Amino acid sequence: MAQAVDALRHGWPIKVGDAPVLLPVETALDRASRSDHLLISAARAETLKLTNQRPAADGHSPVLMRAADTLDLGSALPVADPALDPVNPLKGPFLAEPLEWLAAASTALELARIAGILPAFLVDPDPAGEPVTLIQADLAAWSDPANLTIATRAHLPIATEEEAEIIVFRAPGDMREHVALVLGARSLGTDPLVRLHSECLTGDIFGSLKCDCGPQLDAALAAMSAEAAKGGWGVLLYMRQEGRGIGLVNKLRAYRLQDEGFDTLDANRRLGLPEEARDFPLAARMLDLMGVGEIRLMTNNLEKVVALEDAGVKVIERVPHELPANPHNTRYLATKRDRAGHLLR
């Protein structure tokens, strides 16, 4: 898995099981490669209006399409990247074909998401190059939360709480390092106030007004510090899952699409990426490694509650976590409420 993700970021081909060789359209180094078949997501195929492609409930599912003319990487990229649609409005014609290696294709699109690149591949390109090979089971093994272990821990006084401890978690083959920040002194019989916070560079660091991530982070730390002052404690789980799991580059691509009028979920879909790709069971594994089995969870997202409880963490209370809107994130918050099922309180 680690080699395959690295290969995609470097523009090298991969091969999943007995499926054809796949060359990532966005990053491929051999610009002479050509093919008349392209693997893309169902959502992107829907955007391209393939005449025999039905709209898919799961936009991240794979579609094998054949082009009327052979595609090189220069002509394949506008098919893959919706940001190029305004300057490349005419594409095709294309025809969706039966996909006999569906599971391998799904694995390839998921690998693209993990690598943070556009989910589009030339299929069996010429020249192909020597591919990095893997099997479908490698993805499941790599994704297993049981791989996560505690790497180290240290005392870390922070602005809101001098008595804080930082715990770092990592898994073999995964360059992401997740963090737990424990505020206050852990005490038996006291259930911690817990917040799952997914990394947001733009909001957490630069104070972006397009989302509510930065204010949510600050408010969660302040609430946990207040708990510590009363003899309780809190745990902030900082998950390295930028952009709901699609990565920083693709998140910013989605921002460009939002500027064109698409909401958060539709922007992800036009990129051919999942609307929600965060791995909440990883948070359950972090809590388990810390010996925390019952929590009070700060969230308005019921998916987090369900995911944690399904993974064995008992959520004894859901604590609402809502921040005021600003003129730049009103639509974003409305989308979370109206389309993603987030609660108001």
Side-chain angles (χ1 to χ4, degrees), residues 1-118:
M1 270 293 297
Q3 290 177 336
V5 170
D6 188 59
L8 295 184
R9 292 180 68 91
H10 280 85
W12 302 329
I14 63 169
K15 191 175 189 303
V16 184
D18 295 329
V21 172
L22 300 172
L23 186 67
V25 168
E26 179 186 348
T27 57
L29 296 177
D30 191 344
R31 309 311 290 182
S33 296
R34 303 171 67 87
S35 175
D36 56 2
H37 282 83
L38 196 65
L39 183 71
I40 59 175
S41 73
R44 187 59 180 155
E46 183 182 334
T47 301
L48 295 171
K49 296 181 171 56
L50 291 184
T51 56
N52 58 338
Q53 176 63 32
R54 296 177 180 176
D58 176 12
H60 195 46
S61 58
V63 171
L64 177 64
M65 52 171 270
R66 176 166 57 85
D69 300 313
T70 301
L71 296 167
D72 59 19
L73 288 163
S75 55
L77 186 59
V79 180
D81 188 352
L84 300 178
D85 286 346
V87 292
N88 295 273
L90 300 178
K91 305 180 184 71
F94 303 117
L95 182 71
E97 294 191 341
L99 184 51
E100 298 178 354
W101 36 283
L102 179 61
S106 298
T107 298
L109 291 192
E110 184 65 2
L111 281 167
R113 179 193 69 79
I114 294 168
I117 65 171
L118 292 169

Side-chain angles (χ1 to χ4, degrees), residues 267-327:
N268 280 24
R269 189 175 178 88
R270 287 186 71 85
L271 287 167
L273 293 161
E275 297 170 356
E276 174 62 85
R278 288 175 291 183
D279 188 350
F280 297 136
L282 274 179
R285 171 63 175 170
M286 294 167 70
L287 291 170
D288 180 57
L289 288 169
M290 295 169 60
V292 177
E294 296 186 359
I295 65 171
R296 298 160 54 225
L297 184 64
M298 295 185 71
T299 187
N300 292 339
N301 185 355
L302 290 180
E303 285 188 18
K304 291 182 179 180
V305 177
V306 172
L308 289 180
E309 290 194 328
D310 285 348
V313 177
K314 186 175 181 180
V315 180
I316 62 170
E317 181 187 1
R318 184 188 68 81
V319 180
H321 192 48
E322 182 184 12
L323 281 300
N326 68 63

